[in-house]
Amino acid sequence: VKQRAPVVEAIAVGNEILSGDILDTNFQYMARELRDLGIDVARHLTVPDVKERIAAQVTESLGRADVVLVTGGLGPTADDTTRYGVADALGLELHKDPDTVEGIRERFRRFGIADMAVANEVQALFPEGSAILDNPNGTAAGFRTETDDGRAVFVLPGPPRELRPMFGRHVAPWLEANRRLPVIAVRRLRTLGIGESMLAESVAAWPFGIQGVDLGYYPQDPGVDLKVTARGSDRAAVNAAADRAVGRLRDILGEHVYAAERISIGRVVGDLLLARKSTLSLAESCTGGLAGSLVTDTPGASAWFDASIVTYSYDAKEKLLGIPRALLESKGAVSEEVARAMAEAVRNLRGTDYGVGITGIAGPDGGSAEKPVGLVYIAVSDRNGTDSFRTSHAGERVTIQRRAAVTALDLLRRRLLRTGGPT
Ligand code: ATP
Ligand code: MG
């Protein structure tokens, strides 16, 4: 029998979190996933790697919550005490699971270690009656223990690349099968080139007469993500409401929407180039290669990305790109003319279909009344000509660099959309 919507608390274990050395990104991940399931986390706490403190916190959380999620401290070393603390809180003995011992041995053998250290066998200890949750990316299996009155404690390892797939494999499906969750549909739209207030004004007619939908704004620096959440009692109706709302938003926002869900601008540009069988090269100054880094974050970028040439000095711009010294001296390196020359030069030098030039003032020094810090010229060149843009960005140096790099890719994206088919 499914119970009411669950009250969930999350406990992170780790001195490293309390000391500020790492951030609890595991929680961020889990909370987002839970929200997509329609569950709001009631509390989020962090305790040190101390058995008694872990036990006390699990006991306290179980006093309020239906489901407690514990992460970290499942490793084989002396500072990994989570399994002991949780077992104490539940008043359960730890039992060694022979299959898990064998599994850990096997994993060690695959990495060429015949004799596994005895210490690793502690990772096969679980509170009696636990369900063991396998970990495809590590030796530390997790576990789920249920209390007599139907509460559940999930314990998962700390490394994010182990925790994330385990959440999707063991926690989300269990919640869906064993707890009554609201019927919910979540859709994301990512926008660039329109500020939050302009965005809000554009969608003033929200929710367009559609029942049961919410709209959230999530600034991304740069850009704003929109999240549509539809709730109701009927799955098909909820999905349809979410899709209708997204369709209306897309109609209104047009080209400002660059992606759905969590797709990056680098991937969007890559997909557009790929579809047009076109190639790209970049000439960067103030972004120092960041635009190139954003595009190479996408797997398979070699199919469409050729080079980013970082030319910082006048000399580099002259020798590597062939920008005339006279132009640099008369207009200044940060100028529309030089941005255009950079885009055209890199495109010709590299023989790519598209060339992008970026030159600006990232600060904090070097600004003037005429050319303030944050001013960045961006040019996009293809065989039909070159467009150039005077853009300005607020923030500290690295923020300006990031905003400029993303804006350059966004301007390229808009050009690609208008170009349509292969160039
Ligand atoms: P291991 O076997 O690797 O020791 P573990 O389950 O014992 O796994 P911890 O010792 O708590 O996990 O953490 C291991 C590493 O995982 C930490 O150094 C940290 O880099 C990362 N980590 C742990 N907890 C978190 C968290 N809440 N958010 C992000 N990263 C975390
Ligand atoms: Mg550890």
Side-chain angles (χ1 to χ4, degrees), residues 33-59:
E33 295 290 311
L34 288 166
R35 232 183 15 198
D36 287 2
L37 292 171
I39 299 173
D40 296 318
V41 177
R43 269 193 178 76
H44 165 217
L45 304 125
T46 306
V47 294
D49 300 297
V50 176
K51 185 179 90 167
E52 292 74 20
R53 298 288 300 279
I54 297 166
Q57 189 54 58
V58 170
T59 303

PDB file of all heavy atoms in Angstrom, residues 33-59:
ATOM      1  N   GLU A  33      16.777  15.896  -8.708  1.00  0.00           N
ATOM      2  CA  GLU A  33      16.098  14.696  -9.191  1.00  0.00           C
ATOM      3  C   GLU A  33      14.797  14.479  -8.423  1.00  0.00           C
ATOM      4  O   GLU A  33      13.776  14.108  -9.000  1.00  0.00           O
ATOM      5  CB  GLU A  33      17.004  13.470  -9.031  1.00  0.00           C
ATOM      6  CG  GLU A  33      18.257  13.503  -9.891  1.00  0.00           C
ATOM      7  CD  GLU A  33      17.951  13.346 -11.370  1.00  0.00           C
ATOM      8  OE1 GLU A  33      17.203  12.417 -11.727  1.00  0.00           O
ATOM      9  OE2 GLU A  33      18.437  14.168 -12.174  1.00  0.00           O
ATOM     10  N   LEU A  34      14.853  14.713  -7.117  1.00  0.00           N
ATOM     11  CA  LEU A  34      13.656  14.527  -6.293  1.00  0.00           C
ATOM     12  C   LEU A  34      12.573  15.522  -6.699  1.00  0.00           C
ATOM     13  O   LEU A  34      11.395  15.187  -6.743  1.00  0.00           O
ATOM     14  CB  LEU A  34      13.999  14.686  -4.810  1.00  0.00           C
ATOM     15  CG  LEU A  34      14.807  13.525  -4.209  1.00  0.00           C
ATOM     16  CD1 LEU A  34      15.397  13.922  -2.857  1.00  0.00           C
ATOM     17  CD2 LEU A  34      13.938  12.278  -4.049  1.00  0.00           C
ATOM     18  N   ARG A  35      13.004  16.753  -6.985  1.00  0.00           N
ATOM     19  CA  ARG A  35      12.009  17.748  -7.373  1.00  0.00           C
ATOM     20  C   ARG A  35      11.309  17.340  -8.661  1.00  0.00           C
ATOM     21  O   ARG A  35      10.113  17.562  -8.826  1.00  0.00           O
ATOM     22  CB  ARG A  35      12.645  19.119  -7.527  1.00  0.00           C
ATOM     23  CG  ARG A  35      11.879  20.124  -6.730  1.00  0.00           C
ATOM     24  CD  ARG A  35      12.352  21.518  -6.831  1.00  0.00           C
ATOM     25  NE  ARG A  35      13.257  21.765  -7.933  1.00  0.00           N
ATOM     26  CZ  ARG A  35      14.044  22.827  -7.989  1.00  0.00           C
ATOM     27  NH1 ARG A  35      14.030  23.697  -7.013  1.00  0.00           N
ATOM     28  NH2 ARG A  35      14.846  23.015  -9.015  1.00  0.00           N
ATOM     29  N   ASP A  36      12.070  16.737  -9.568  1.00  0.00           N
ATOM     30  CA  ASP A  36      11.442  16.264 -10.799  1.00  0.00           C
ATOM     31  C   ASP A  36      10.462  15.125 -10.524  1.00  0.00           C
ATOM     32  O   ASP A  36       9.603  14.830 -11.349  1.00  0.00           O
ATOM     33  CB  ASP A  36      12.505  15.814 -11.809  1.00  0.00           C
ATOM     34  CG  ASP A  36      13.232  17.007 -12.419  1.00  0.00           C
ATOM     35  OD1 ASP A  36      12.922  18.141 -12.031  1.00  0.00           O
ATOM     36  OD2 ASP A  36      14.099  16.802 -13.290  1.00  0.00           O
ATOM     37  N   LEU A  37      10.615  14.467  -9.379  1.00  0.00           N
ATOM     38  CA  LEU A  37       9.656  13.428  -8.995  1.00  0.00           C
ATOM     39  C   LEU A  37       8.496  14.024  -8.194  1.00  0.00           C
ATOM     40  O   LEU A  37       7.607  13.307  -7.742  1.00  0.00           O
ATOM     41  CB  LEU A  37      10.350  12.362  -8.131  1.00  0.00           C
ATOM     42  CG  LEU A  37      11.390  11.473  -8.803  1.00  0.00           C
ATOM     43  CD1 LEU A  37      12.118  10.637  -7.758  1.00  0.00           C
ATOM     44  CD2 LEU A  37      10.729  10.557  -9.826  1.00  0.00           C
ATOM     45  N   GLY A  38       8.546  15.334  -7.959  1.00  0.00           N
ATOM     46  CA  GLY A  38       7.487  15.994  -7.211  1.00  0.00           C
ATOM     47  C   GLY A  38       7.715  16.001  -5.713  1.00  0.00           C
ATOM     48  O   GLY A  38       6.801  16.288  -4.942  1.00  0.00           O
ATOM     49  N   ILE A  39       8.948  15.701  -5.285  1.00  0.00           N
ATOM     50  CA  ILE A  39       9.241  15.644  -3.852  1.00  0.00           C
ATOM     51  C   ILE A  39      10.106  16.830  -3.446  1.00  0.00           C
ATOM     52  O   ILE A  39      11.179  17.048  -4.005  1.00  0.00           O
ATOM     53  CB  ILE A  39      10.003  14.343  -3.502  1.00  0.00           C
ATOM     54  CG1 ILE A  39       9.142  13.124  -3.851  1.00  0.00           C
ATOM     55  CG2 ILE A  39      10.402  14.324  -2.024  1.00  0.00           C
ATOM     56  CD1 ILE A  39       9.879  11.810  -3.698  1.00  0.00           C
ATOM     57  N   ASP A  40       9.657  17.594  -2.452  1.00  0.00           N
ATOM     58  CA  ASP A  40      10.492  18.645  -1.874  1.00  0.00           C
ATOM     59  C   ASP A  40      11.200  18.071  -0.662  1.00  0.00           C
ATOM     60  O   ASP A  40      10.577  17.460   0.200  1.00  0.00           O
ATOM     61  CB  ASP A  40       9.627  19.821  -1.418  1.00  0.00           C
ATOM     62  CG  ASP A  40       8.921  20.490  -2.592  1.00  0.00           C
ATOM     63  OD1 ASP A  40       9.568  20.663  -3.638  1.00  0.00           O
ATOM     64  OD2 ASP A  40       7.732  20.824  -2.458  1.00  0.00           O
ATOM     65  N   VAL A  41      12.510  18.266  -0.586  1.00  0.00           N
ATOM     66  CA  VAL A  41      13.256  17.776   0.570  1.00  0.00           C
ATOM     67  C   VAL A  41      12.922  18.658   1.772  1.00  0.00           C
ATOM     68  O   VAL A  41      12.898  19.890   1.673  1.00  0.00           O
ATOM     69  CB  VAL A  41      14.774  17.811   0.292  1.00  0.00           C
ATOM     70  CG1 VAL A  41      15.556  17.366   1.517  1.00  0.00           C
ATOM     71  CG2 VAL A  41      15.101  16.920  -0.898  1.00  0.00           C
ATOM     72  N   ALA A  42      12.660  18.023   2.906  1.00  0.00           N
ATOM     73  CA  ALA A  42      12.256  18.780   4.095  1.00  0.00           C
ATOM     74  C   ALA A  42      13.457  19.356   4.830  1.00  0.00           C
ATOM     75  O   ALA A  42      13.394  20.453   5.384  1.00  0.00           O
ATOM     76  CB  ALA A  42      11.456  17.874   5.033  1.00  0.00           C
ATOM     77  N   ARG A  43      14.567  18.600   4.897  1.00  0.00           N
ATOM     78  CA  ARG A  43      15.765  19.058   5.599  1.00  0.00           C
ATOM     79  C   ARG A  43      17.006  18.475   4.959  1.00  0.00           C
ATOM     80  O   ARG A  43      16.995  17.368   4.439  1.00  0.00           O
ATOM     81  CB  ARG A  43      15.747  18.603   7.056  1.00  0.00           C
ATOM     82  CG  ARG A  43      15.122  19.576   8.013  1.00  0.00           C
ATOM     83  CD  ARG A  43      15.466  19.152   9.433  1.00  0.00           C
ATOM     84  NE  ARG A  43      14.938  20.088  10.415  1.00  0.00           N
ATOM     85  CZ  ARG A  43      13.661  20.145  10.779  1.00  0.00           C
ATOM     86  NH1 ARG A  43      12.780  19.326  10.234  1.00  0.00           N
ATOM     87  NH2 ARG A  43      13.250  21.019  11.678  1.00  0.00           N
ATOM     88  N   HIS A  44      18.106  19.238   5.082  1.00  0.00           N
ATOM     89  CA  HIS A  44      19.388  18.828   4.509  1.00  0.00           C
ATOM     90  C   HIS A  44      20.456  19.162   5.541  1.00  0.00           C
ATOM     91  O   HIS A  44      20.614  20.321   5.921  1.00  0.00           O
ATOM     92  CB  HIS A  44      19.597  19.606   3.210  1.00  0.00           C
ATOM     93  CG  HIS A  44      20.991  19.566   2.685  1.00  0.00           C
ATOM     94  ND1 HIS A  44      21.579  20.647   2.080  1.00  0.00           N
ATOM     95  CD2 HIS A  44      21.902  18.586   2.663  1.00  0.00           C
ATOM     96  CE1 HIS A  44      22.805  20.326   1.711  1.00  0.00           C
ATOM     97  NE2 HIS A  44      23.024  19.083   2.052  1.00  0.00           N
ATOM     98  N   LEU A  45      21.138  18.145   6.034  1.00  0.00           N
ATOM     99  CA  LEU A  45      22.079  18.338   7.141  1.00  0.00           C
ATOM    100  C   LEU A  45      23.423  17.715   6.816  1.00  0.00           C
ATOM    101  O   LEU A  45      23.509  16.790   6.014  1.00  0.00           O
ATOM    102  CB  LEU A  45      21.530  17.663   8.399  1.00  0.00           C
ATOM    103  CG  LEU A  45      20.135  18.132   8.794  1.00  0.00           C
ATOM    104  CD1 LEU A  45      19.207  16.961   8.919  1.00  0.00           C
ATOM    105  CD2 LEU A  45      20.196  18.956  10.041  1.00  0.00           C
ATOM    106  N   THR A  46      24.463  18.211   7.467  1.00  0.00           N
ATOM    107  CA  THR A  46      25.789  17.620   7.300  1.00  0.00           C
ATOM    108  C   THR A  46      26.363  17.292   8.671  1.00  0.00           C
ATOM    109  O   THR A  46      26.267  18.101   9.596  1.00  0.00           O
ATOM    110  CB  THR A  46      26.740  18.586   6.572  1.00  0.00           C
ATOM    111  OG1 THR A  46      26.133  18.995   5.355  1.00  0.00           O
ATOM    112  CG2 THR A  46      28.076  17.908   6.271  1.00  0.00           C
ATOM    113  N   VAL A  47      26.938  16.103   8.799  1.00  0.00           N
ATOM    114  CA  VAL A  47      27.573  15.708  10.060  1.00  0.00           C
ATOM    115  C   VAL A  47      29.001  15.257   9.778  1.00  0.00           C
ATOM    116  O   VAL A  47      29.328  14.869   8.662  1.00  0.00           O
ATOM    117  CB  VAL A  47      26.799  14.553  10.765  1.00  0.00           C
ATOM    118  CG1 VAL A  47      25.422  15.023  11.204  1.00  0.00           C
ATOM    119  CG2 VAL A  47      26.690  13.337   9.863  1.00  0.00           C
ATOM    120  N   PRO A  48      29.878  15.326  10.799  1.00  0.00           N
ATOM    121  CA  PRO A  48      31.263  14.884  10.592  1.00  0.00           C
ATOM    122  C   PRO A  48      31.361  13.353  10.518  1.00  0.00           C
ATOM    123  O   PRO A  48      30.396  12.644  10.792  1.00  0.00           O
ATOM    124  CB  PRO A  48      31.981  15.416  11.836  1.00  0.00           C
ATOM    125  CG  PRO A  48      30.927  15.551  12.872  1.00  0.00           C
ATOM    126  CD  PRO A  48      29.649  15.868  12.146  1.00  0.00           C
ATOM    127  N   ASP A  49      32.567  12.872  10.170  1.00  0.00           N
ATOM    128  CA  ASP A  49      32.809  11.424  10.053  1.00  0.00           C
ATOM    129  C   ASP A  49      32.947  10.800  11.442  1.00  0.00           C
ATOM    130  O   ASP A  49      33.963  10.178  11.751  1.00  0.00           O
ATOM    131  CB  ASP A  49      34.132  11.160   9.305  1.00  0.00           C
ATOM    132  CG  ASP A  49      34.149  11.722   7.901  1.00  0.00           C
ATOM    133  OD1 ASP A  49      33.334  11.282   7.082  1.00  0.00           O
ATOM    134  OD2 ASP A  49      34.987  12.611   7.623  1.00  0.00           O
ATOM    135  N   VAL A  50      31.948  10.983  12.260  1.00  0.00           N
ATOM    136  CA  VAL A  50      32.013  10.467  13.632  1.00  0.00           C
ATOM    137  C   VAL A  50      30.792   9.593  13.856  1.00  0.00           C
ATOM    138  O   VAL A  50      29.659  10.063  13.728  1.00  0.00           O
ATOM    139  CB  VAL A  50      32.031  11.625  14.662  1.00  0.00           C
ATOM    140  CG1 VAL A  50      32.010  11.077  16.082  1.00  0.00           C
ATOM    141  CG2 VAL A  50      33.241  12.522  14.440  1.00  0.00           C
ATOM    142  N   LYS A  51      31.060   8.326  14.182  1.00  0.00           N
ATOM    143  CA  LYS A  51      29.980   7.342  14.275  1.00  0.00           C
ATOM    144  C   LYS A  51      28.803   7.824  15.128  1.00  0.00           C
ATOM    145  O   LYS A  51      27.644   7.738  14.718  1.00  0.00           O
ATOM    146  CB  LYS A  51      30.549   6.039  14.855  1.00  0.00           C
ATOM    147  CG  LYS A  51      29.564   4.909  14.884  1.00  0.00           C
ATOM    148  CD  LYS A  51      30.171   3.636  15.448  1.00  0.00           C
ATOM    149  CE  LYS A  51      29.970   3.579  16.936  1.00  0.00           C
ATOM    150  NZ  LYS A  51      30.268   2.232  17.496  1.00  0.00           N
ATOM    151  N   GLU A  52      29.105   8.355  16.315  1.00  0.00           N
ATOM    152  CA  GLU A  52      28.029   8.758  17.229  1.00  0.00           C
ATOM    153  C   GLU A  52      27.205   9.908  16.650  1.00  0.00           C
ATOM    154  O   GLU A  52      25.987   9.976  16.854  1.00  0.00           O
ATOM    155  CB  GLU A  52      28.608   9.184  18.588  1.00  0.00           C
ATOM    156  CG  GLU A  52      29.232   8.056  19.397  1.00  0.00           C
ATOM    157  CD  GLU A  52      30.594   7.591  18.845  1.00  0.00           C
ATOM    158  OE1 GLU A  52      31.241   8.363  18.090  1.00  0.00           O
ATOM    159  OE2 GLU A  52      31.000   6.457  19.147  1.00  0.00           O
ATOM    160  N   ARG A  53      27.889  10.821  15.964  1.00  0.00           N
ATOM    161  CA  ARG A  53      27.166  11.966  15.385  1.00  0.00           C
ATOM    162  C   ARG A  53      26.274  11.506  14.234  1.00  0.00           C
ATOM    163  O   ARG A  53      25.169  12.012  14.030  1.00  0.00           O
ATOM    164  CB  ARG A  53      28.152  13.037  14.897  1.00  0.00           C
ATOM    165  CG  ARG A  53      29.017  13.639  16.009  1.00  0.00           C
ATOM    166  CD  ARG A  53      28.214  14.557  16.908  1.00  0.00           C
ATOM    167  NE  ARG A  53      27.642  15.671  16.151  1.00  0.00           N
ATOM    168  CZ  ARG A  53      28.312  16.766  15.819  1.00  0.00           C
ATOM    169  NH1 ARG A  53      29.571  16.926  16.177  1.00  0.00           N
ATOM    170  NH2 ARG A  53      27.731  17.725  15.125  1.00  0.00           N
ATOM    171  N   ILE A  54      26.772  10.535  13.469  1.00  0.00           N
ATOM    172  CA  ILE A  54      25.970   9.989  12.361  1.00  0.00           C
ATOM    173  C   ILE A  54      24.740   9.289  12.938  1.00  0.00           C
ATOM    174  O   ILE A  54      23.606   9.516  12.506  1.00  0.00           O
ATOM    175  CB  ILE A  54      26.816   9.011  11.511  1.00  0.00           C
ATOM    176  CG1 ILE A  54      27.997   9.758  10.876  1.00  0.00           C
ATOM    177  CG2 ILE A  54      25.956   8.336  10.441  1.00  0.00           C
ATOM    178  CD1 ILE A  54      29.083   8.851  10.310  1.00  0.00           C
ATOM    179  N   ALA A  55      24.978   8.466  13.963  1.00  0.00           N
ATOM    180  CA  ALA A  55      23.869   7.720  14.568  1.00  0.00           C
ATOM    181  C   ALA A  55      22.819   8.683  15.126  1.00  0.00           C
ATOM    182  O   ALA A  55      21.607   8.510  14.914  1.00  0.00           O
ATOM    183  CB  ALA A  55      24.404   6.813  15.675  1.00  0.00           C
ATOM    184  N   ALA A  56      23.278   9.725  15.828  1.00  0.00           N
ATOM    185  CA  ALA A  56      22.333  10.669  16.433  1.00  0.00           C
ATOM    186  C   ALA A  56      21.509  11.371  15.361  1.00  0.00           C
ATOM    187  O   ALA A  56      20.302  11.572  15.516  1.00  0.00           O
ATOM    188  CB  ALA A  56      23.101  11.684  17.279  1.00  0.00           C
ATOM    189  N   GLN A  57      22.162  11.733  14.251  1.00  0.00           N
ATOM    190  CA  GLN A  57      21.432  12.451  13.206  1.00  0.00           C
ATOM    191  C   GLN A  57      20.429  11.551  12.496  1.00  0.00           C
ATOM    192  O   GLN A  57      19.318  11.976  12.173  1.00  0.00           O
ATOM    193  CB  GLN A  57      22.404  13.074  12.192  1.00  0.00           C
ATOM    194  CG  GLN A  57      21.717  14.013  11.218  1.00  0.00           C
ATOM    195  CD  GLN A  57      20.927  15.080  11.959  1.00  0.00           C
ATOM    196  OE1 GLN A  57      21.464  15.835  12.760  1.00  0.00           O
ATOM    197  NE2 GLN A  57      19.606  15.111  11.728  1.00  0.00           N
ATOM    198  N   VAL A  58      20.805  10.307  12.249  1.00  0.00           N
ATOM    199  CA  VAL A  58      19.874   9.385  11.591  1.00  0.00           C
ATOM    200  C   VAL A  58      18.660   9.167  12.498  1.00  0.00           C
ATOM    201  O   VAL A  58      17.512   9.178  12.038  1.00  0.00           O
ATOM    202  CB  VAL A  58      20.573   8.047  11.237  1.00  0.00           C
ATOM    203  CG1 VAL A  58      19.559   7.005  10.778  1.00  0.00           C
ATOM    204  CG2 VAL A  58      21.626   8.280  10.138  1.00  0.00           C
ATOM    205  N   THR A  59      18.907   9.005  13.799  1.00  0.00           N
ATOM    206  CA  THR A  59      17.799   8.820  14.739  1.00  0.00           C
ATOM    207  C   THR A  59      16.869  10.030  14.722  1.00  0.00           C
ATOM    208  O   THR A  59      15.646   9.899  14.628  1.00  0.00           O
ATOM    209  CB  THR A  59      18.352   8.616  16.167  1.00  0.00           C
ATOM    210  OG1 THR A  59      19.234   7.490  16.149  1.00  0.00           O
ATOM    211  CG2 THR A  59      17.227   8.371  17.158  1.00  0.00           C
TER     212      THR A  59
END
